[in-house]
Every structure is written in structure tokens, then in C-alpha cells.
């Protein structure tokens, strides 16, 4: 394939629905393409015109119109159009016009039909006529739920290999040089067979065994063997190996059954890595369940603080295992709650039993079960109405101080807005809290709206759960009956707009600290969560999690059509882009944050981000319309 075709192939391979095609089908698409150039303001597809190709936009932008002349959609680089007409009567139903100088790839209708027949993902994308964003998210979810963790996920490097006629001494030297505890031993074969594979040199090789550091001790040093002997004389024969798509569980069972610590991993017959027993142990200890158990075994703040690095490892492990944002948010929130509970238990052991009943309450992402790896603490104490400040507050201040200091030591930084139980304003009896919430709803001035956006995501962590349930019931009952409050919340929820400019280009941050980047929390997930909260309050939902709130909203008539589904897909996709980039930061030993640089993401991811931000923009526009000022 020449350079021009390779360029075409690489471009289409980065965008849905071509990104899942096999190599053979991608080659066919690239080789079949014809190119068309259209100046700005040129009709590409006229109403009623015969459709003979699928259209792929290499560069530029187009607009699609309804028959009455109204704008239906706008597409840019990496988008396709014309597929719905190809699936119907092969006549243009929605005219298309270029709005910029546009380069279009034409893919023949016959090949389009083959792609639909031979690739299920491609067919789902075009036949259902679903937006690219929804198809991408569902496809990722399908992969995550249908596949358990595969052995290949644990492989971090290619195996070290050596020829069978090499000396034992050279094998040991290579193990030292590569810092490995084993080498695979290969034999050159003259002919291909069911046991051979081809390396980059084009020759046929067969894996005849493995040499480990234990073999060197027991079969060479302890036995007094000459280090100049061929390695084949001391290698472990009858190689036990596993295929790369087997599960980690099966690999562990294989090691236990055969009493081995090194397990070669093959892709068909070709070695792609060597799994050590420690890799599986490390994988198991990175799990959130292991970490939760370890938290409750700690007997001091110092022991808890040592586990803060394990939180990051657990987070990265979840991302690499293909968990979605709900699974990751729930796991991290559970870990954060466990740190809080254990700190409270340790504080009560030191301070003694509380003088009156209380509840330790959390707000924000932990309350929603949507905690991220970059987070601070938002908490408060709801005290029994028998609370007497003069008699009891010294105890609860000391308790709050120990909890906040402990959380900070464990990686949950102090809240910059002082939304913590150490602030006496947020350490009050239940009746005072009820008055707070009533005032916020009845008279929504700017400060009270800010508190509403924080405190209306609330949940119990420790103590009297009923205290928080009463506050949740108050919010659900009263907010839905206050049009003025909902209208004020709606206007407050559109202050943070998505980073989209004209023609859906990205608008970068220009704050001097994160120039030419996009803050995915401030400009993406946070405004989505804000608008979901408004609709949830309007329908009296008692759910705290944003996805659960969307389920409640979908049962009402608050949103039209499939709006709640689109918001769900947008929130999941932006959340996962943010999560994946934080995991990359941790892997590369950088401090994780909420910012991405668009040039550092794939073409497909950029297009889907634009789609998700457009969903947010549309949902914000609807919010003011849905909740007008009385």
C-alpha cells in the first residue's frame, strides 16, 4: 500500500464506525475510495438525487437540511453522511451543502453493503441510525461486560528470548541485562509446522522451553554444571503456557495446578510475554475490595495514610480492566467512605463515646457515588436536637478536626470553600439544618444557590442515617413545588458553558495556568451534573447518583424525546475521557488533573467529545425554557 493510501487508511481507522473494522476490510475501504473537493457553499447532495456512495468528510464541514429548508444537522471532519439514504431507496432525502471548503471520500455502495453484512458494529452504527457518541459508549460497555480480565492486560513487556544453542552463561547475562527472572528458549526450524511461528526476521521458530532463575540455582550452580554448556541442556522441557485471551483466573489456576511461578503467554504460537506469580498477586492487591479490607485493618492514622498510594493503583487497575465511569465512581466513593468511617472509629476510641447522637454527612461527588481520583473533602455534622453547644461542641469540634486532618493525610485535601465539619456553620443540630434547607429553597439568592448546588447532593456515612434521610425528604418535597427556586437553579446551572465555538471548534482555557487545554470537569461533567440535578429536583427524585436521577427523570415528561438518553451518553463519555487521562498521568508519574489538550487525544475521541459537548449545550438551552422565571 502506497503512502497516500496509508494516509487515507489511518484517517478513517480513527473514526467510527470504521474504527472496529478488521485490517482486511480497512484495506479494501482505503483502496476503493475516490476523492471529491467542494468549495464552500456548494451543494454536495441534491434532493431526490441518486445516491451511489457513502460520504466521509476528510476535512471541512457540511450542513444537512430538511426538505422545507430547515437546518437538520452539521457534520465535520471524520463524520459520515448518506448512509440512511443508501439503506432506504438510494435517493437523497436530506440535501447536503458544504459550509467550508470540504474534501470528501466516496465509498462505493456495494462495499458499504458488505461492511454492513460483515461487521456488526458498523451495521449497528448505520442501520439503527444512532449518533456516533451513543454507539461508541455502548460499544465500550459491551466490551467491558462481555469480557472478563484477560491475561494480556497483565503483560507489560515482550518476553526475553534466546536461542537453544546459546551458552548458559550468556543466558544468565541476558537475564541480568534485561532485569528479568526468566528467558524463553527458541529453536530455529527449517519448515513451518503446527508448532512454529514467525518473528521479524521472517524465519520459523519453535519455543522449546523456559529457563528461570530457580533453574540456574538448582540445575547449574547446585549441580556443578559448566556455564559454557548449551542452554538447551538445562531448560525446562514440556513448556506449560497459556493463550493471551485466557482469563487471569485461569492463569492463576494453571500456575497452582502445575506448581510454577512463570507462565509464558502466547498469541496462537507466538510468545508475547511471561506472566509471573507476583503479577497476579499485584493485580489482586490493586483491587478496590482488597483495599477496603485493608483500610479496616489499620489501627492508626499513619497506617491509613500509607494506603493513599494504593488508591491510585486501584483506580488505574479499574481503568485498565475496562470499568465504566459508574463502576469507578462507585469504587472510589466506597473507598473514601471507608477512610472516613475508620477515621471516625479511631477518633471515638480516643475521645470516647459521643455526648449526643450525630451523623457524619458527605456532599458532592462522594454523596453521588461519582468520586474521582482528583477530589477534595465536603462534609458536615448533623447533631441531635438535644445538642448544647456549651456542653457538647468541644467534643464534636475535636472529632471534626481529627476527621478532616485524617482525610487530608489520606489524600482528600481540605475544601477550599471550608465546607467541612470543622466550620461551626456546618456542625449544627438537625432542626438548624432543616431551616438552612428551607431558607435556601424559599429565598434563592446567589449565596444560597451556591450552597444548594453543594448540599443538595448529600448522603450518610456514619452515625444516625435517619438525620440525613429527613433532609433528603425535605429537599425532594419542597424543591419540586417551588418554581422560583427551580428557575433560579436552572440559571445558575448554565453559568459554566461547554468549550464549543463556532462550527463546533474547541474553545481553550486561557487562565494562564492551563493554557490551550480543556478542563473536563469545569466545562463538561460539572455542568452536566448541575442540569441533571435541576431536573431531578423538579420531579421530586430522592436519588443522589446522576445516572439514577436520569432514570427518574426519564419516567416523567420533563425532557422531550430521547434527551435523557443523550445526556446519559454525554456524561459517561466525558467522564471516561477524564478518567482515562488521569490514569495516564498516574502511569507516567505526573500529578493527575482534569485537563486535556485536544492535540493529545485521538481523532475519534475529539469527534465524540464535540458531540458530547453539543449535547450539553443543547440541554443547557432547554433548561431556561423548561424552568422560566415565574
Amino acid at each position: 500500500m502506497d503512502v497516500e493510501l496509508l494516509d487515507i487508511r489511518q484517517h478513517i481507522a480513527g473514526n467510527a464506525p470504521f474504527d472496529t473494522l478488521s485490517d482486511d476490510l480497512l484495506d479494501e475501504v482505503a483502496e476503493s475510495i475516490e476523492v471529491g473537493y467542494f468549495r464552500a457553499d456548494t451543494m454536495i447532495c441534491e434532493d431526490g438525487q441518486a445516491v451511489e456512495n457513502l460520504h466521509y468528510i476528510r476535512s471541512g464541514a457540511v450542513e444537512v437540511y430538511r426538505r422545507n429548508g430547515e437546518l437538520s444537522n452539521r457534520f465535520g471532519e471524520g463524520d459520515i453522511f448518506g448512509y440512511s439514504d443508501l439503506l432506504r431507496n438510494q435517493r437523497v432525502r436530506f440535501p447536503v451543502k458544504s459550509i467550508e471548503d470540504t474534501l470528501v471520500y466516496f465509498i462505493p455502495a456495494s462495499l458499504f453493503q458488505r461492511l454492513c453484512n460483515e461487521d456488526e458494529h458498523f451495521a449497528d452504527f448505520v442501520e439503527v441510525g444512532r449518533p456516533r457518541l451513543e454507539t461508541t459508549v455502548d460499544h465500550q460497555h459491551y466490551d467491558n461486560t462481555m469480557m472478563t480480565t484477560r491475561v494480556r492486560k497483565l503483560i507489560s513487556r515482550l518476553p526475553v528470548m534466546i536461542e537453544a544453542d546459546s551458552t548458559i552463561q550468556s543466558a544468565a547475562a541476558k537475564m541480568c541485562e534485561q532485569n528479568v527472572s526468566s528467558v524463553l528458549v527458541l529453536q530455529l526450524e527449517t519448515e513451518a509446522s503446527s508448532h512454529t511461528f514467525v518473528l521479524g526476521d521472517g524465519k520459523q521458530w519453535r519455543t522449546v522451553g523456559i529457563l528461570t532463575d530457580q533453574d540456574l540455582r538448582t540445575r547449574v550452580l547446585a549441580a556443578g554444571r559448566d556455564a559454557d554448556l548449551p542452554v538447551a541442556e538445562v531448560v525446562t522441557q514440556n513448556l506449560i503456557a497459556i493463550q493471551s485471551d485466557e482469563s487471569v483466573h485461569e492463569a492463576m489456576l494453571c500456575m497452582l495446578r502445575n506448581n510454577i511461578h512463570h507462565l509464558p503467554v502466547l498469541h496462537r504460537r507466538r510468545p508475547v510475554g511471561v506472566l509471573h506469580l507476583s503479577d497476579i498477586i499485584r493485580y489482586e492487591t490493586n483491587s478496590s475490595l482488597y483495599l477496603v479490607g485493608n483500610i479496616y485493618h489499620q489501627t492508626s492514622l499513619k497506617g491509613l495514610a500509607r494506603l493513599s498510594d494504593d488508591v491510585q493503583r486501584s483506580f488505574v487497575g479499574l481503568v485498565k480492566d475496562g470499568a465504566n465511569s459508574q463502576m469507578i465512581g462507585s469504587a472510589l466513593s466506597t473507598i473514601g467512605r471507608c477512610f472516613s468511617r475508620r477515621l471516625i472509629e479511631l477518633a471515638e476510641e480516643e475521645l470516647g463515646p459521643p455526648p449526643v447522637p450525630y451523623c457524619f454527612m458527605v456532599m458532592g461527588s462522594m454523596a453521588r457515588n461519582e468520586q474521582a481520583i482528583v477530589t477534595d473533602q465536603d462534609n458536615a455534622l448533623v447533631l441531635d436536637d438535644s445538642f448544647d453547644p456549651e456542653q457538647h461542641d468541644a467534643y464534636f469540634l475535636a472529632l471534626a478536626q481529627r476527621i478532616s486532618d485524617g482525610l487530608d493525610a489520606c489524600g482528600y485535601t481540605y475544601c477550599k470553600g471550608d465546607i467541612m465539619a470543622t466550620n461551626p456553620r456546618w456542625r449544627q443540630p438537625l432542626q438548624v439544618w432543616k431551616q438552612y434547607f428551607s431558607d435556601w429553597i424559599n429565598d434563592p439568592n446567589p449565596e444560597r444557590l451556591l450552597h444548594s448546588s453543594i448540599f443538595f447532593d448529600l448522603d450518610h456515612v456514619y452515625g444516625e442515617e435517619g438525620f440525613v434521610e429527613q433532609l433528603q425528604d425535605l429537599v425532594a418535597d419542597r424543591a419540586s413545588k417551588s418554581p422560583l427556586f427551580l428557575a433560579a437553579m436552572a440559571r445558575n446551572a448554565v453559568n459554566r458553558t461547554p468549550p464549543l465555538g463556532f462550527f463546533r471548534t474547541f474553545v481553550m482555557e486561557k487562565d494562564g495556568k492551563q493554557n490551550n487545554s480543556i478542563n473536563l470537569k469545569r466545562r463538561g461533567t460539572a455542568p452536566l451534573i448541575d442540569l441533571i440535578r435541576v431536573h431531578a429536583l423538579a420531579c421530586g427524585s430522592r436519588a443522589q447518583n446522576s445516572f439514577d436521577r436520569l432514570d427518574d427523570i426519564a419516567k416523567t415528561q420533563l425532557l422531550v424525546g430521547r434527551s435523557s438518553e443523550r445526556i446519559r451518553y454525554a456524561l459517561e463519555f466525558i467522564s471516561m475521557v477524564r478518567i482515562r487521562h488521569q490514569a495516564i498521568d498516574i502511569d507516567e508519574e505526573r500529578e493527575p488533573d482534569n485537563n486535556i489538550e485536544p492535540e493529545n487525544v485521538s481523532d475519534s475521541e475529539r469527534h465524540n467529545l464535540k458531540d458530547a459537548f453539543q449535547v450539553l449545550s443543547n440541554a443547557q438551552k432547554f433548561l431556561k425554557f423548561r424552568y422560566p422565571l415565574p
Side-chain angles (χ1 to χ4, degrees):
M1 186 174 287
D2 62 31
V3 174
E4 184 179 355
L5 287 181
L6 282 173
D7 177 63
I8 293 173
R9 186 186 191 279
Q10 183 175 359
H11 198 279
I12 62 174
N15 293 289
F18 305 98
D19 51 352
T20 61
L21 293 181
S22 67
D23 289 342
D24 290 342
L25 284 176
L26 268 179
D27 290 342
E28 285 195 52
V29 172
E31 291 167 357
S32 71
I33 278 174
E34 293 187 5
V35 181
Y37 175 74
F38 300 88
R39 290 191 177 277
D41 204 32
T42 301
M43 292 302 299
I44 300 176
C45 299
E46 302 272 6
D47 184 22
Q49 175 184 339
V51 180
E52 299 176 350
N53 300 284
L54 175 69
H55 301 73
Y56 175 94
I57 303 174
R58 173 59 193 257
S59 61
V62 304
E63 287 183 338
V64 182
Y65 300 92
R66 295 186 176 91
R67 289 180 174 176
N68 62 7
E70 291 181 0
L71 178 65
S72 172
N73 214 332
R74 179 179 287 136
F75 295 127
E77 182 180 345
D79 287 324
I80 59 173
F81 61 92
Y83 52 86
S84 57
D85 296 328
L86 283 170
L87 292 170
R88 290 188 178 92
N89 59 1
Q90 298 192 338
R91 294 281 173 182
V92 172
R93 187 180 177 192
F94 297 104
V96 181
K97 182 175 74 172
S98 61
I99 52 177
E100 301 175 2
D101 290 351
T102 301
L103 194 66
V104 176
Y105 291 161
F106 298 105
I107 300 169
S110 57
L111 181 54
F112 168 79
Q113 295 295 340
R114 271 195 59 205
L115 297 177
C116 291
N117 293 334
E118 297 183 20
D119 189 276
E120 185 176 352
H121 172 61
F122 188 95
D124 284 345
F125 187 99
V126 299
E127 289 176 3
V128 182
R130 303 171 68 206
R132 169 178 55 201
L133 174 64
E134 298 180 20
T135 307
T136 300
V137 171
D138 276 350
H139 186 65
Q140 290 172 348
H141 179 66
Y142 174 82
D143 285 346
N144 297 341
T145 55
M146 294 299 293
M147 295 176 65
T148 57
T149 303
R150 303 302 183 188
V151 169
R152 59 174 173 262
K153 293 272 189 178
L154 273 61
I155 299 299
S156 58
R157 59 174 295 172
L158 292 171
V160 178
M161 297 180 284
I162 196 167
E163 293 188 41
D165 58 1
S166 302
T167 66
I168 297 172
Q169 192 276 333
S170 64
K174 193 162 191 176
M175 290 166 67
C176 290
E177 176 190 333
Q178 297 291 326
N179 193 28
V180 294
S181 58
S182 66
V183 289
L184 295 180
V185 181
L186 307 184
Q187 178 73 53
L188 184 62
E189 300 290 327
T190 56
E191 296 181 359
S193 72
S194 59
H195 301 291
T196 61
F197 59 91
V198 178
L199 288 177
D201 55 11
K203 298 177 181 177
Q204 296 289 336
W205 294 91
R206 177 169 63 90
T207 308
V208 295
I210 185 171
L211 181 73
T212 69
D213 50 4
Q214 184 178 357
D215 294 332
L216 290 173
R217 292 196 305 271
T218 59
R219 299 181 184 181
V220 181
L221 292 175
R225 305 291 294 271
D226 189 345
D228 289 329
L229 288 173
V231 71
E233 294 198 16
V234 294
V235 72
T236 300
Q237 304 284 347
N238 302 319
L239 186 71
I240 297 169
I242 194 169
Q243 289 294 316
S244 62
D245 59 354
E246 292 283 359
S247 69
V248 173
H249 179 69
E250 182 58 36
M252 181 175 64
L253 291 178
C254 181
M255 287 182 169
L256 292 174
R257 281 195 301 264
N258 297 283
N259 192 28
I260 56 176
H261 289 178
H262 297 80
L263 184 64
V265 180
L266 311 179
H267 175 58
R268 296 176 181 163
R269 296 178 297 276
R270 180 174 180 168
V272 293
V274 176
L275 196 64
H276 191 271
L277 186 59
S278 62
D279 296 321
I280 294 181
I281 295 172
R282 190 179 305 111
Y283 169 77
E284 291 296 328
T285 56
N286 281 343
S287 73
S288 55
L289 289 176
Y290 178 90
L291 178 54
V292 166
N294 210 0
I295 289 171
Y296 286 115
H297 284 116
Q298 302 306 312
T299 59
S300 67
L301 172 57
K302 188 175 181 180
L304 287 170
R306 280 198 297 264
L307 298 179
S308 58
D309 288 342
D310 291 347
V311 179
Q312 289 196 345
R313 283 193 287 270
S314 179
F315 166 74
V316 172
L318 285 165
V319 176
K320 290 183 177 179
D321 285 347
N324 62 26
S325 73
Q326 296 174 65
M327 296 164 63
I328 294 169
S330 177
L332 292 182
S333 299
T334 298
I335 292 168
R337 290 167 188 263
C338 291
F339 273 115
S340 300
R341 288 175 185 144
R342 188 58 183 145
L343 286 165
I344 296 171
E345 291 169 352
L346 293 175
E348 286 190 356
E349 289 176 10
E350 182 182 350
L351 298 172
V356 297
Y358 74 96
C359 175
F360 183 75
M361 177 173 73
V362 293
M363 289 75 68
S365 60
M366 187 183 292
R368 296 193 307 272
N369 277 330
E370 297 170 13
Q371 194 139 53
I373 199 64
V374 179
T375 189
D376 60 0
Q377 50 178 290
D378 295 304
N379 53 64
L381 284 176
V382 185
L383 308 171
D384 187 81
D385 285 337
S386 62
F387 170 76
D388 181 340
E390 291 186 4
Q391 295 183 55
H392 306 143
D393 197 46
Y395 177 93
F396 287 110
L397 173 58
L399 178 71
Q401 198 67 59
R402 281 164 173 76
I403 298 169
S404 287
D405 291 347
L407 287 172
D408 182 69
C410 294
Y412 301 86
T413 57
Y414 297 115
C415 175
K416 294 178 181 178
D418 204 20
I419 308 294
M420 296 179 292
T422 50
N423 183 337
R425 189 177 183 186
W426 314 127
R427 193 173 64 249
Q428 294 291 335
L430 178 59
Q431 61 182 347
V432 175
W433 278 105
K434 288 182 177 179
Q435 191 61 51
Y436 283 168
F437 280 79
S438 297
D439 291 343
W440 294 340
I441 294 171
N442 295 335
D443 185 15
N445 62 36
E447 181 187 5
R448 289 173 173 176
L449 286 171
L450 176 62
H451 289 145
S452 298
S453 66
I454 297 170
F455 284 91
F456 282 20
D457 301 337
L458 70 162
D459 204 7
H460 152 274
V461 165
Y462 187 93
E464 299 294 325
E465 186 173 359
F467 291 174
V468 170
E469 289 177 350
Q470 290 183 55
L471 297 177
Q472 290 173 337
D473 290 344
L474 184 153
V475 171
D477 291 338
R478 296 195 185 179
S480 61
K481 300 171 185 175
S482 176
L484 175 63
F485 172 73
L486 291 174
M489 285 288 285
R491 276 146 186 78
N492 202 50
V494 299
N495 287 336
R496 293 181 287 194
T497 57
L500 284 180
F502 193 57
F503 292 151
R504 297 171 66 196
T505 56
F506 287 124
V507 176
M508 304 301 170
E509 306 287 347
K510 296 293 183 182
D511 60 5
K513 185 177 180 181
Q514 295 288 349
N515 280 341
N516 298 317
S517 67
I518 297 172
N519 187 305
L520 289 177
K521 178 181 179 181
R522 184 166 62 237
R523 307 295 295 277
T525 58
L528 277 167
I529 290 165
D530 287 345
L531 69 89
I532 292 169
R533 184 188 300 111
V534 176
H535 293 307
L537 290 170
C539 71
S541 171
R542 283 165 169 77
Q544 302 301 309
N545 177 264
S546 296
F547 294 99
D548 293 340
R549 286 172 168 172
L550 282 168
D551 289 338
D552 289 344
I553 295 165
K555 298 172 186 175
T556 70
Q557 301 299 314
L558 288 172
L559 296 178
V560 297
R562 299 177 60 246
S563 296
S564 61
E565 288 182 53
R566 295 189 185 99
I567 294 170
R568 179 187 297 274
Y569 284 114
L571 178 58
E572 173 64 21
F573 188 80
I574 297 173
S575 297
M576 283 309 303
V577 173
R578 175 190 176 202
I579 285 168
R580 283 194 294 267
H581 282 264
Q582 288 172 343
I584 292 170
D585 284 340
I586 293 170
D587 265 348
E588 298 181 357
E589 300 183 350
R590 295 191 300 266
E591 188 69 24
D593 57 30
N594 296 307
N595 293 280
I596 64 162
E597 295 76 30
E599 65 269 19
N600 292 336
V601 300
S602 67
D603 288 341
S604 178
E605 201 166 71
R606 275 202 301 276
H607 286 300
N608 283 312
L609 274 175
K610 289 178 183 178
D611 291 345
F613 289 137
Q614 189 64 53
V615 170
L616 169 57
S617 178
N618 295 340
Q620 287 184 327
K621 292 172 184 175
F622 179 77
L623 204 61
K624 286 186 179 181
F625 167 80
R626 186 66 186 79
Y627 305 103
L629 284 168

